[in-house]
Amino acid sequence: MSDWTWVVPLPVVIPLFSAGLTLALYRRPRVQPVVSVTALALVLAASLVLLFQADNGPLVVDVGGWAAPVGINLVADRLSSLMLTISSAVTLCVLLYSLAQGRDDDEESAPVSIYHPTFLVLAAGVANAFLSGDLFNIYVGFEILLAASFVLITLGGTRDRIRAGTIYVVVALLSSVLFLVALAAIYAATGTVNLAQLSLRLPHIDPDVRLTLQVLLLLAFAVKAAVFPLSAWLPDSYPTAPAPVTAVFAGLLTKVGVYAIIRTQTLLFPGGQLDDVLMWAALATMVVGILGAVAQDDIKRLLSFTLVSHIGYMIFGIALSTEAGWTAAVYYVAHHITVQTALFLVVGLVERVGGSTSLTRLGGLAKIAPVLAILFFVPAMNLAGIPPLSGFLGKLGLLQAGVDAGTPLAYVLVVGSVVTSLLTLYALVKAWNKAFWQSPADTPRRAHLPFGMVGPTAALVLVGLTLTFAAGPLYAYTERAANAFTLRTTYIHAVLPDGERGEGESADVTEERAEEQPDEQPDEPATTGEHP
Amino acid sequence: MTPNVTLVIAIGVLFAAGVYLLLERSLSRVLIGVVLLGNGANLLFLVAGGRAGRPPIVGAADEGQMSDPLPQAMVLTAIVITLGMTAFLLAMAYRSWQLQRHDEVQDDVEDRRIARLAAIDERAVTDADTEATAQSLDEEAEEARDETDEGVVQP
């Protein structure tokens, strides 16, 4: 165990405490931003520490001092830390952007007093879902972030947002119920919800039961990750929210679902019984999503559809069940979070300058706001996968992994990926031409772009470019993460030392025994020690 | 493990009623559906936790007779979460009623747009359903309530 384990709970604890603090300071709109920005900056710092420390092996914290498998634990391994680092960088940028937007105009999309606490709770929920080493705690993390996202998607309670929110809320609640049913079934079959212990016990139960559990979990996560046939809710609900909110949703929420799929597929259900099904789902997600994007004439809706379609790439990588596939999938998730969020922020700026997001009304923005044109062009090309950007590297990794797998289905997916890439390019170039180069239908509203909004957007675009420059070390990192997926023992050993059976008792008891009764059996029922 | 049949039947009824209500258009019915579904899932979790037994307090009974405390703790958590979500849904239904004097889930913008495009086309579909009213499906779709144009404050 390293000395850095105390950092593991911070990404969850800091935002939650700050959320309470900002709620208490709801009459002090000048202090609130200071608190929330500081909190998210601290979370980013903590995530970076975890990113480097987790490379030496997973860091495990037993919450409340109860050892696994009885207690809940937080585990920061390479995958969790990478997700956490990217997501906290993204949330920080979006928060700064929304602050500048709120300063610049007092629309109803401006941060009201409830915005800061909710945003921080969202960050805490995402961090909790990423770090949790316990399926039920993942469920709790999901619910925390969903509750926050409900509030954010219906900010202001206007007619359109209620309409969009209705769909979103009901679908989210339904997927939560599915997840709960899956949890109940898993507990009935194995008697535990601890991920490490599950991965030890699941191989010993009836294979048909195991398959049922896998399908239940995958269904619940596929709704959250917007995998086609369960993705229809997303393009209807995301675009109506304020730009920063849509950006953070598009970047993070679906990826939490993807993360959960990666985690459960690699740790709990290795061997890939459902890989063919996932492959077809990935193909359908890519193709149907991108065809939807091609048909749109509103940039926000177009981007929502590209978001759905690119989830397909990640599912493709997961479904390959090879180290190369997993490596590429994890890298692709990191790339996609930054790029998709950056694009939505840029569209928020486009809406401010052009007064609309409809491609038929926009035009001539390249003359008015050349900086904006560059800011849109770089992540758009990155999303489409133009070399040498990170999107190209991620897609190339996936294609290589697909060709290496060599099954006919994998080849079909490789062709599907390339076609989807080209169609993404077509859709984005169409948007770029219409918004920035065609002669405008009506005069643009204003060309004033506050630096506070351009800055964070540019920062995110730069983060996307950093993924390109740092592709070597990052790819090596995801490779090591994927290698840990195949081994699985490092994770299990970190959570359950003591011969793969956790102690399952309170830290107080362990200490007392060490002091008083050094010869007692370690498998008696755990009690909280009575202090003499 | 032999689960209690009464509870299993109750779970089935809760789920069936919950799903039926979720498919309604009125938000308050959807809300009740969500509550029933949530309760069904919680009950399922309790049944999944094994048979009933003595209270899980150390020293009150021997371990073999205790019921499993973990699912009970989890169900408590799930109940609280369901309560919060229900409260939010209720607020949303009320807000919807404030805005338009009904709490029905509105037609989707995209669907309306497609229906309007279809109505521009010729009569494409006539079948037994439409012959009674002598209307094509597209015309009927066009007449369906459309909130996209009326009463929406254009930004």
Side-chain angles (χ1 to χ4, degrees), chain A residues 136 139 143 147 150-151 154 157 159 162-163 165-166 169-170 173-174 180-181 183-184 187-188 193 236 296 301 525, chain B residues 15 22 27 30 42 44-45 48 63 68 70-71 74 81 85 88-89 92 95 99-100 105-108 110 151:
Chain A
F136 194 81
Y139 167 77
E143 296 300 310
F150 292 169
V151 176
T154 53
R159 195 180 288 258
I162 292 288
R163 178 211 309 267
T166 311
V169 169
V170 172
L173 287 178
L174 195 61
L180 203 56
V181 170
L183 275 169
Y187 193 84
V193 284
D236 287 338
Q296 294 303 319
R301 289 189 70 92
Chain B
F15 264 90
L22 264 190
L27 261 183
V30 170
N42 292 340
L44 177 68
F45 216 133
E63 280 173 58
D68 189 348
L70 271 186
M74 291 183 210
I81 290 171
M85 298 290 173
F88 185 86
L89 204 53
M92 213 167 59
R95 177 68 186 158
L99 283 170
Q100 48 221 342
V105 177
Q106 304 156 37
D107 282 343
D108 183 48
E110 188 91 351

Tab-separated table of all heavy atoms in Angstrom, chain A residues 136 139 143 147 150-151 154 157 159 162-163 165-166 169-170 173-174 180-181 183-184 187-188 193 236 296 301 525, chain B residues 15 22 27 30 42 44-45 48 63 68 70-71 74 81 85 88-89 92 95 99-100 105-108 110 151:
chain	number	residue	atom	x	y	z
A	136	PHE	N	-23.392	-1.871	-5.846
A	136	PHE	CA	-24.479	-1.064	-5.309
A	136	PHE	C	-24.051	0.390	-5.178
A	136	PHE	O	-24.846	1.304	-5.376
A	136	PHE	CB	-24.961	-1.595	-3.960
A	136	PHE	CG	-26.271	-1.002	-3.563
A	136	PHE	CD1	-27.446	-1.509	-4.083
A	136	PHE	CD2	-26.334	0.076	-2.708
A	136	PHE	CE1	-28.662	-0.941	-3.752
A	136	PHE	CE2	-27.552	0.643	-2.369
A	136	PHE	CZ	-28.715	0.130	-2.891
A	139	TYR	N	-24.476	2.036	-8.354
A	139	TYR	CA	-25.878	2.421	-8.498
A	139	TYR	C	-26.149	3.741	-7.794
A	139	TYR	O	-26.794	4.641	-8.349
A	139	TYR	CB	-26.774	1.310	-7.935
A	139	TYR	CG	-28.216	1.682	-7.744
A	139	TYR	CD1	-29.084	1.747	-8.825
A	139	TYR	CD2	-28.725	1.963	-6.484
A	139	TYR	CE1	-30.411	2.092	-8.652
A	139	TYR	CE2	-30.046	2.301	-6.304
A	139	TYR	CZ	-30.890	2.370	-7.386
A	139	TYR	OH	-32.193	2.712	-7.209
A	143	GLU	N	-27.363	7.341	-9.319
A	143	GLU	CA	-28.550	8.070	-8.877
A	143	GLU	C	-28.185	9.498	-8.480
A	143	GLU	O	-28.955	10.424	-8.734
A	143	GLU	CB	-29.207	7.350	-7.693
A	143	GLU	CG	-29.743	5.987	-8.029
A	143	GLU	CD	-30.800	6.029	-9.119
A	143	GLU	OE1	-31.737	6.827	-8.993
A	143	GLU	OE2	-30.690	5.274	-10.092
A	147	ALA	N	-29.952	12.557	-10.356
A	147	ALA	CA	-30.758	13.560	-9.649
A	147	ALA	C	-30.261	14.953	-9.994
A	147	ALA	O	-31.058	15.869	-10.259
A	147	ALA	CB	-30.690	13.319	-8.143
A	150	PHE	N	-31.236	15.823	-13.603
A	150	PHE	CA	-32.650	16.190	-13.766
A	150	PHE	C	-32.831	17.692	-13.540
A	150	PHE	O	-33.524	18.376	-14.291
A	150	PHE	CB	-33.536	15.456	-12.744
A	150	PHE	CG	-33.634	13.975	-12.951
A	150	PHE	CD1	-34.202	13.168	-11.983
A	150	PHE	CD2	-33.165	13.395	-14.116
A	150	PHE	CE1	-34.301	11.809	-12.173
A	150	PHE	CE2	-33.257	12.033	-14.309
A	150	PHE	CZ	-33.821	11.238	-13.329
A	151	VAL	N	-32.205	18.180	-12.460
A	151	VAL	CA	-32.341	19.598	-12.149
A	151	VAL	C	-31.711	20.446	-13.248
A	151	VAL	O	-32.280	21.443	-13.690
A	151	VAL	CB	-31.688	19.912	-10.787
A	151	VAL	CG1	-31.748	21.393	-10.500
A	151	VAL	CG2	-32.366	19.127	-9.688
A	154	THR	N	-33.714	20.674	-16.596
A	154	THR	CA	-34.955	21.450	-16.566
A	154	THR	C	-34.736	22.818	-15.938
A	154	THR	O	-35.673	23.420	-15.432
A	154	THR	CB	-36.039	20.710	-15.763
A	154	THR	OG1	-35.490	20.372	-14.483
A	154	THR	CG2	-36.480	19.460	-16.437
A	157	GLY	N	-37.261	25.747	-15.976
A	157	GLY	CA	-38.612	25.207	-16.103
A	157	GLY	C	-39.419	25.778	-17.244
A	157	GLY	O	-40.623	25.959	-17.140
A	159	ARG	N	-41.134	25.738	-21.105
A	159	ARG	CA	-41.956	24.730	-21.755
A	159	ARG	C	-41.110	23.681	-22.481
A	159	ARG	O	-41.313	22.485	-22.335
A	159	ARG	CB	-42.871	25.439	-22.744
A	159	ARG	CG	-44.021	24.638	-23.241
A	159	ARG	CD	-44.805	25.480	-24.194
A	159	ARG	NE	-45.544	26.536	-23.506
A	159	ARG	CZ	-46.845	26.447	-23.257
A	159	ARG	NH1	-47.508	25.381	-23.596
A	159	ARG	NH2	-47.478	27.430	-22.666
A	162	ILE	N	-39.162	21.397	-20.040
A	162	ILE	CA	-40.013	20.400	-19.382
A	162	ILE	C	-40.316	19.284	-20.370
A	162	ILE	O	-40.290	18.094	-20.025
A	162	ILE	CB	-41.310	21.048	-18.867
A	162	ILE	CG1	-41.006	22.009	-17.729
A	162	ILE	CG2	-42.297	19.994	-18.419
A	162	ILE	CD1	-40.613	21.360	-16.432
A	163	ARG	N	-40.587	19.651	-21.621
A	163	ARG	CA	-40.866	18.644	-22.639
A	163	ARG	C	-39.680	17.686	-22.787
A	163	ARG	O	-39.832	16.469	-22.782
A	163	ARG	CB	-41.145	19.336	-23.980
A	163	ARG	CG	-41.392	18.361	-25.122
A	163	ARG	CD	-40.936	18.908	-26.455
A	163	ARG	NE	-41.439	20.242	-26.744
A	163	ARG	CZ	-42.555	20.470	-27.420
A	163	ARG	NH1	-43.260	19.466	-27.862
A	163	ARG	NH2	-42.929	21.698	-27.660
A	165	GLY	N	-37.212	17.327	-20.626
A	165	GLY	CA	-36.902	16.699	-19.345
A	165	GLY	C	-37.782	15.504	-19.063
A	165	GLY	O	-37.327	14.521	-18.468
A	166	THR	N	-39.046	15.581	-19.496
A	166	THR	CA	-39.964	14.473	-19.247
A	166	THR	C	-39.411	13.177	-19.799
A	166	THR	O	-39.324	12.163	-19.096
A	166	THR	CB	-41.315	14.766	-19.908
A	166	THR	OG1	-41.720	16.067	-19.546
A	166	THR	CG2	-42.350	13.771	-19.479
A	169	VAL	N	-36.169	12.104	-17.869
A	169	VAL	CA	-36.356	11.637	-16.498
A	169	VAL	C	-36.982	10.249	-16.480
A	169	VAL	O	-36.525	9.351	-15.764
A	169	VAL	CB	-37.225	12.642	-15.707
A	169	VAL	CG1	-37.654	12.055	-14.389
A	169	VAL	CG2	-36.456	13.920	-15.487
A	170	VAL	N	-38.033	10.044	-17.288
A	170	VAL	CA	-38.712	8.750	-17.252
A	170	VAL	C	-37.785	7.634	-17.734
A	170	VAL	O	-37.711	6.559	-17.122
A	170	VAL	CB	-40.010	8.807	-18.085
A	170	VAL	CG1	-40.615	7.431	-18.211
A	170	VAL	CG2	-41.001	9.749	-17.437
A	173	LEU	N	-35.199	6.913	-15.003
A	173	LEU	CA	-35.759	6.170	-13.883
A	173	LEU	C	-35.972	4.707	-14.252
A	173	LEU	O	-35.721	3.801	-13.456
A	173	LEU	CB	-37.085	6.792	-13.446
A	173	LEU	CG	-36.973	8.111	-12.697
A	173	LEU	CD1	-38.337	8.654	-12.366
A	173	LEU	CD2	-36.176	7.932	-11.418
A	174	LEU	N	-36.402	4.481	-15.487
A	174	LEU	CA	-36.625	3.107	-15.928
A	174	LEU	C	-35.314	2.323	-15.925
A	174	LEU	O	-35.256	1.173	-15.461
A	174	LEU	CB	-37.232	3.115	-17.335
A	174	LEU	CG	-37.839	1.811	-17.802
A	174	LEU	CD1	-38.968	1.419	-16.881
A	174	LEU	CD2	-38.356	1.944	-19.216
A	180	LEU	N	-31.514	-1.911	-10.608
A	180	LEU	CA	-31.832	-2.436	-9.280
A	180	LEU	C	-32.254	-3.902	-9.362
A	180	LEU	O	-31.857	-4.728	-8.529
A	180	LEU	CB	-32.947	-1.584	-8.660
A	180	LEU	CG	-33.064	-1.589	-7.146
A	180	LEU	CD1	-31.766	-1.174	-6.516
A	180	LEU	CD2	-34.164	-0.643	-6.701
A	181	VAL	N	-33.056	-4.223	-10.373
A	181	VAL	CA	-33.473	-5.616	-10.570
A	181	VAL	C	-32.244	-6.492	-10.826
A	181	VAL	O	-32.111	-7.592	-10.259
A	181	VAL	CB	-34.476	-5.715	-11.737
A	181	VAL	CG1	-34.729	-7.160	-12.107
A	181	VAL	CG2	-35.775	-5.031	-11.367
A	183	LEU	N	-29.246	-5.923	-9.801
A	183	LEU	CA	-28.532	-6.038	-8.529
A	183	LEU	C	-29.171	-7.103	-7.642
A	183	LEU	O	-28.472	-7.914	-7.028
A	183	LEU	CB	-28.550	-4.695	-7.798
A	183	LEU	CG	-27.473	-3.703	-8.176
A	183	LEU	CD1	-27.779	-2.340	-7.590
A	183	LEU	CD2	-26.138	-4.186	-7.637
A	184	ALA	N	-30.519	-7.071	-7.576
A	184	ALA	CA	-31.215	-8.057	-6.744
A	184	ALA	C	-30.912	-9.463	-7.230
A	184	ALA	O	-30.607	-10.364	-6.433
A	184	ALA	CB	-32.720	-7.782	-6.784
A	187	TYR	N	-27.397	-10.417	-6.304
A	187	TYR	CA	-27.233	-10.733	-4.887
A	187	TYR	C	-27.845	-12.094	-4.566
A	187	TYR	O	-27.294	-12.867	-3.784
A	187	TYR	CB	-27.870	-9.643	-4.010
A	187	TYR	CG	-27.461	-9.775	-2.580
A	187	TYR	CD1	-26.263	-9.227	-2.132
A	187	TYR	CD2	-28.228	-10.486	-1.668
A	187	TYR	CE1	-25.846	-9.371	-0.829
A	187	TYR	CE2	-27.826	-10.636	-0.352
A	187	TYR	CZ	-26.625	-10.074	0.054
A	187	TYR	OH	-26.221	-10.235	1.343
A	188	ALA	N	-28.987	-12.377	-5.204
A	188	ALA	CA	-29.621	-13.675	-4.952
A	188	ALA	C	-28.739	-14.813	-5.432
A	188	ALA	O	-28.663	-15.872	-4.803
A	188	ALA	CB	-30.974	-13.732	-5.657
A	193	VAL	N	-22.216	-7.984	-3.574
A	193	VAL	CA	-22.227	-7.005	-4.657
A	193	VAL	C	-20.852	-6.356	-4.800
A	193	VAL	O	-20.702	-5.375	-5.499
A	193	VAL	CB	-23.283	-5.902	-4.429
A	193	VAL	CG1	-24.665	-6.411	-4.726
A	193	VAL	CG2	-23.200	-5.344	-3.039
A	236	ASP	N	-33.479	13.640	-28.273
A	236	ASP	CA	-34.664	14.427	-27.960
A	236	ASP	C	-34.477	15.261	-26.709
A	236	ASP	O	-35.135	16.283	-26.545
A	236	ASP	CB	-35.875	13.506	-27.749
A	236	ASP	CG	-36.358	12.946	-29.062
A	236	ASP	OD1	-36.055	13.561	-30.095
A	236	ASP	OD2	-37.026	11.898	-29.055
A	296	GLN	N	-30.011	15.931	-39.907
A	296	GLN	CA	-30.385	17.074	-39.070
A	296	GLN	C	-29.985	18.402	-39.703
A	296	GLN	O	-29.005	18.472	-40.443
A	296	GLN	CB	-29.705	16.965	-37.706
A	296	GLN	CG	-30.182	15.813	-36.884
A	296	GLN	CD	-31.670	15.854	-36.669
A	296	GLN	OE1	-32.239	16.905	-36.439
A	296	GLN	NE2	-32.300	14.700	-36.764
A	301	ARG	N	-28.697	19.203	-32.410
A	301	ARG	CA	-29.255	17.872	-32.637
A	301	ARG	C	-28.270	17.015	-33.419
A	301	ARG	O	-28.094	15.831	-33.148
A	301	ARG	CB	-30.578	17.970	-33.390
A	301	ARG	CG	-31.701	18.522	-32.563
A	301	ARG	CD	-33.010	18.395	-33.291
A	301	ARG	NE	-33.427	17.006	-33.384
A	301	ARG	CZ	-34.207	16.410	-32.494
A	301	ARG	NH1	-34.645	17.068	-31.465
A	301	ARG	NH2	-34.552	15.156	-32.643
A	525	PRO	N	-17.491	-13.280	13.293
A	525	PRO	CA	-18.299	-12.172	12.776
A	525	PRO	C	-17.763	-10.839	13.278
A	525	PRO	O	-17.318	-10.717	14.418
A	525	PRO	CB	-19.690	-12.455	13.338
A	525	PRO	CG	-19.465	-13.362	14.503
A	525	PRO	CD	-18.269	-14.181	14.142
B	15	PHE	N	-44.959	-4.962	-10.712
B	15	PHE	CA	-44.244	-4.680	-11.957
B	15	PHE	C	-45.220	-4.495	-13.111
B	15	PHE	O	-45.079	-3.562	-13.917
B	15	PHE	CB	-43.254	-5.802	-12.274
B	15	PHE	CG	-41.869	-5.511	-11.809
B	15	PHE	CD1	-41.448	-5.871	-10.540
B	15	PHE	CD2	-40.974	-4.856	-12.630
B	15	PHE	CE1	-40.174	-5.587	-10.099
B	15	PHE	CE2	-39.703	-4.560	-12.199
B	15	PHE	CZ	-39.294	-4.932	-10.925
B	22	LEU	N	-46.654	3.284	-16.736
B	22	LEU	CA	-45.570	4.028	-17.385
B	22	LEU	C	-45.915	4.343	-18.834
B	22	LEU	O	-45.436	5.319	-19.399
B	22	LEU	CB	-44.279	3.208	-17.375
B	22	LEU	CG	-43.263	3.453	-16.284
B	22	LEU	CD1	-41.986	2.728	-16.621
B	22	LEU	CD2	-42.961	4.922	-16.124
B	27	LEU	N	-48.567	12.522	-16.973
B	27	LEU	CA	-47.376	12.444	-16.114
B	27	LEU	C	-47.699	11.936	-14.717
B	27	LEU	O	-46.895	11.244	-14.105
B	27	LEU	CB	-46.704	13.811	-16.007
B	27	LEU	CG	-45.511	14.031	-16.917
B	27	LEU	CD1	-44.892	15.388	-16.658
B	27	LEU	CD2	-44.453	12.956	-16.681
B	30	VAL	N	-47.751	8.292	-14.905
B	30	VAL	CA	-46.373	7.819	-15.034
B	30	VAL	C	-45.691	7.818	-13.677
B	30	VAL	O	-44.981	6.888	-13.312
B	30	VAL	CB	-45.589	8.714	-16.020
B	30	VAL	CG1	-44.106	8.394	-15.987
B	30	VAL	CG2	-46.122	8.531	-17.427
B	42	ASN	N	-37.748	-2.997	-5.036
B	42	ASN	CA	-37.278	-3.092	-3.654
B	42	ASN	C	-37.711	-4.397	-3.003
B	42	ASN	O	-36.935	-5.051	-2.301
B	42	ASN	CB	-37.809	-1.913	-2.837
B	42	ASN	CG	-37.192	-0.604	-3.266
B	42	ASN	OD1	-36.132	-0.609	-3.899
B	42	ASN	ND2	-37.834	0.493	-2.967
B	44	LEU	N	-38.379	-7.110	-4.570
B	44	LEU	CA	-37.590	-8.170	-5.213
B	44	LEU	C	-36.238	-8.304	-4.532
B	44	LEU	O	-35.744	-9.413	-4.285
B	44	LEU	CB	-37.401	-7.839	-6.698
B	44	LEU	CG	-36.545	-8.799	-7.512
B	44	LEU	CD1	-37.234	-10.133	-7.645
B	44	LEU	CD2	-36.266	-8.238	-8.895
B	45	PHE	N	-35.652	-7.176	-4.191
B	45	PHE	CA	-34.356	-7.196	-3.530
B	45	PHE	C	-34.457	-7.893	-2.172
B	45	PHE	O	-33.611	-8.707	-1.795
B	45	PHE	CB	-33.856	-5.761	-3.337
B	45	PHE	CG	-32.376	-5.625	-3.501
B	45	PHE	CD1	-31.845	-4.616	-4.272
B	45	PHE	CD2	-31.504	-6.510	-2.884
B	45	PHE	CE1	-30.479	-4.496	-4.432
B	45	PHE	CE2	-30.144	-6.396	-3.041
B	45	PHE	CZ	-29.630	-5.380	-3.822
B	48	ALA	N	-34.761	-11.478	-2.681
B	48	ALA	CA	-33.482	-12.016	-3.157
B	48	ALA	C	-32.500	-12.196	-2.011
B	48	ALA	O	-31.561	-12.975	-2.103
B	48	ALA	CB	-32.886	-11.081	-4.207
B	63	GLU	N	-26.200	-17.218	14.687
B	63	GLU	CA	-26.034	-16.710	13.322
B	63	GLU	C	-26.874	-17.426	12.286
B	63	GLU	O	-27.330	-16.832	11.320
B	63	GLU	CB	-24.564	-16.836	12.916
B	63	GLU	CG	-23.700	-15.751	13.470
B	63	GLU	CD	-22.251	-16.048	13.178
B	63	GLU	OE1	-21.930	-16.181	11.992
B	63	GLU	OE2	-21.463	-16.169	14.133
B	68	ASP	N	-30.433	-11.819	6.533
B	68	ASP	CA	-29.259	-11.133	5.987
B	68	ASP	C	-29.463	-9.617	6.064
B	68	ASP	O	-30.413	-9.090	5.490
B	68	ASP	CB	-29.084	-11.579	4.522
B	68	ASP	CG	-27.777	-11.088	3.948
B	68	ASP	OD1	-27.137	-10.241	4.589
B	68	ASP	OD2	-27.394	-11.543	2.861
B	70	LEU	N	-27.578	-7.155	4.843
B	70	LEU	CA	-27.085	-6.340	3.714
B	70	LEU	C	-28.191	-5.907	2.755
B	70	LEU	O	-28.311	-4.721	2.454
B	70	LEU	CB	-25.998	-7.110	2.952
B	70	LEU	CG	-24.564	-6.904	3.449
B	70	LEU	CD1	-23.604	-7.605	2.521
B	70	LEU	CD2	-24.224	-5.436	3.533
B	71	PRO	N	-29.037	-6.864	2.271
B	71	PRO	CA	-30.090	-6.403	1.358
B	71	PRO	C	-31.039	-5.415	2.021
B	71	PRO	O	-31.528	-4.514	1.357
B	71	PRO	CB	-30.818	-7.680	0.956
B	71	PRO	CG	-30.279	-8.761	1.766
B	71	PRO	CD	-28.997	-8.320	2.353
B	74	MET	N	-29.449	-2.110	1.714
B	74	MET	CA	-29.495	-1.624	0.340
B	74	MET	C	-30.901	-1.171	-0.036
B	74	MET	O	-31.075	-0.149	-0.708
B	74	MET	CB	-29.041	-2.727	-0.608
B	74	MET	CG	-27.570	-3.059	-0.480
B	74	MET	SD	-27.137	-4.281	-1.697
B	74	MET	CE	-25.827	-5.135	-0.890
B	81	ILE	N	-33.790	6.811	-2.330
B	81	ILE	CA	-33.527	7.329	-3.672
B	81	ILE	C	-34.838	7.452	-4.457
B	81	ILE	O	-35.109	8.473	-5.092
B	81	ILE	CB	-32.529	6.414	-4.411
B	81	ILE	CG1	-31.139	6.560	-3.782
B	81	ILE	CG2	-32.476	6.755	-5.879
B	81	ILE	CD1	-30.129	5.558	-4.295
B	85	MET	N	-36.523	10.808	-6.261
B	85	MET	CA	-36.860	10.845	-7.682
B	85	MET	C	-38.360	11.118	-7.874
B	85	MET	O	-38.765	11.869	-8.765
B	85	MET	CB	-36.509	9.505	-8.341
B	85	MET	CG	-35.030	9.175	-8.277
B	85	MET	SD	-34.083	10.250	-9.344
B	85	MET	CE	-32.427	9.799	-8.915
B	88	PHE	N	-39.148	14.711	-7.442
B	88	PHE	CA	-38.779	15.521	-8.611
B	88	PHE	C	-39.805	15.365	-9.730
B	88	PHE	O	-40.216	16.339	-10.359
B	88	PHE	CB	-37.390	15.132	-9.123
B	88	PHE	CG	-36.932	16.026	-10.235
B	88	PHE	CD1	-36.298	17.217	-9.947
B	88	PHE	CD2	-37.174	15.700	-11.552
B	88	PHE	CE1	-35.906	18.064	-10.958
B	88	PHE	CE2	-36.785	16.548	-12.570
B	88	PHE	CZ	-36.150	17.731	-12.278
B	89	LEU	N	-40.218	14.123	-9.960
B	89	LEU	CA	-41.187	13.858	-11.027
B	89	LEU	C	-42.500	14.578	-10.745
B	89	LEU	O	-43.141	15.135	-11.645
B	89	LEU	CB	-41.408	12.344	-11.128
B	89	LEU	CG	-41.906	11.788	-12.442
B	89	LEU	CD1	-41.017	12.235	-13.581
B	89	LEU	CD2	-41.916	10.279	-12.397
B	92	MET	N	-42.165	18.121	-11.557
B	92	MET	CA	-42.169	18.328	-13.000
B	92	MET	C	-43.592	18.231	-13.554
B	92	MET	O	-43.986	19.018	-14.425
B	92	MET	CB	-41.266	17.310	-13.674
B	92	MET	CG	-40.613	17.857	-14.891
B	92	MET	SD	-39.286	16.822	-15.452
B	92	MET	CE	-40.125	15.319	-15.732
B	95	ARG	N	-45.317	21.436	-12.708
B	95	ARG	CA	-44.846	22.527	-13.560
B	95	ARG	C	-45.476	22.413	-14.951
B	95	ARG	O	-45.883	23.414	-15.551
B	95	ARG	CB	-43.327	22.472	-13.658
B	95	ARG	CG	-42.690	23.497	-14.552
B	95	ARG	CD	-42.832	24.885	-13.987
B	95	ARG	NE	-42.349	25.889	-14.924
B	95	ARG	CZ	-42.712	27.169	-14.899
B	95	ARG	NH1	-43.555	27.582	-13.997
B	95	ARG	NH2	-42.236	28.017	-15.769
B	99	LEU	N	-47.886	25.182	-16.796
B	99	LEU	CA	-47.579	25.797	-18.082
B	99	LEU	C	-48.720	25.640	-19.067
B	99	LEU	O	-49.004	26.537	-19.839
B	99	LEU	CB	-46.311	25.177	-18.674
B	99	LEU	CG	-44.990	25.633	-18.066
B	99	LEU	CD1	-43.873	24.761	-18.571
B	99	LEU	CD2	-44.725	27.082	-18.442
B	100	GLN	N	-49.355	24.447	-19.091
B	100	GLN	CA	-50.336	24.237	-20.148
B	100	GLN	C	-51.620	23.566	-19.694
B	100	GLN	O	-52.316	22.981	-20.507
B	100	GLN	CB	-49.706	23.460	-21.295
B	100	GLN	CG	-48.953	22.243	-20.829
B	100	GLN	CD	-47.678	22.093	-21.598
B	100	GLN	OE1	-47.527	22.681	-22.649
B	100	GLN	NE2	-46.749	21.317	-21.096
B	105	VAL	N	-47.616	14.123	-21.465
B	105	VAL	CA	-46.324	14.188	-22.141
B	105	VAL	C	-46.568	14.719	-23.549
B	105	VAL	O	-47.432	14.215	-24.265
B	105	VAL	CB	-45.684	12.792	-22.216
B	105	VAL	CG1	-44.386	12.853	-22.982
B	105	VAL	CG2	-45.446	12.254	-20.822
B	106	GLN	N	-45.829	15.772	-23.918
B	106	GLN	CA	-46.108	16.409	-25.198
B	106	GLN	C	-45.480	15.644	-26.341
B	106	GLN	O	-44.534	14.881	-26.160
B	106	GLN	CB	-45.558	17.835	-25.187
B	106	GLN	CG	-46.108	18.644	-24.052
B	106	GLN	CD	-45.176	19.771	-23.708
B	106	GLN	OE1	-44.572	20.361	-24.583
B	106	GLN	NE2	-45.036	20.058	-22.442
B	107	ASP	N	-46.031	15.911	-27.522
B	107	ASP	CA	-45.444	15.303	-28.716
B	107	ASP	C	-44.027	15.795	-28.897
B	107	ASP	O	-43.701	16.938	-28.584
B	107	ASP	CB	-46.262	15.708	-29.955
B	107	ASP	CG	-47.529	14.901	-30.028
B	107	ASP	OD1	-47.583	13.864	-29.352
B	107	ASP	OD2	-48.452	15.310	-30.746
B	108	ASP	N	-43.228	14.942	-29.429
B	108	ASP	CA	-41.852	15.306	-29.677
B	108	ASP	C	-41.755	16.212	-30.893
B	108	ASP	O	-42.497	16.053	-31.863
B	108	ASP	CB	-41.062	14.014	-29.920
B	108	ASP	CG	-39.615	14.319	-30.100
B	108	ASP	OD1	-39.099	15.072	-29.276
B	108	ASP	OD2	-39.012	13.819	-31.061
B	110	GLU	N	-39.483	16.576	-33.176
B	110	GLU	CA	-39.057	15.884	-34.401
B	110	GLU	C	-40.214	15.086	-35.009
B	110	GLU	O	-40.444	15.137	-36.219
B	110	GLU	CB	-37.907	14.939	-34.045
B	110	GLU	CG	-37.240	14.308	-35.223
B	110	GLU	CD	-36.067	15.128	-35.718
B	110	GLU	OE1	-35.880	16.257	-35.247
B	110	GLU	OE2	-35.358	14.629	-36.575
B	151	GLY	N	-48.207	28.875	-28.866
B	151	GLY	CA	-47.903	29.177	-27.476
B	151	GLY	C	-46.455	28.991	-27.104
B	151	GLY	O	-46.094	29.159	-25.957
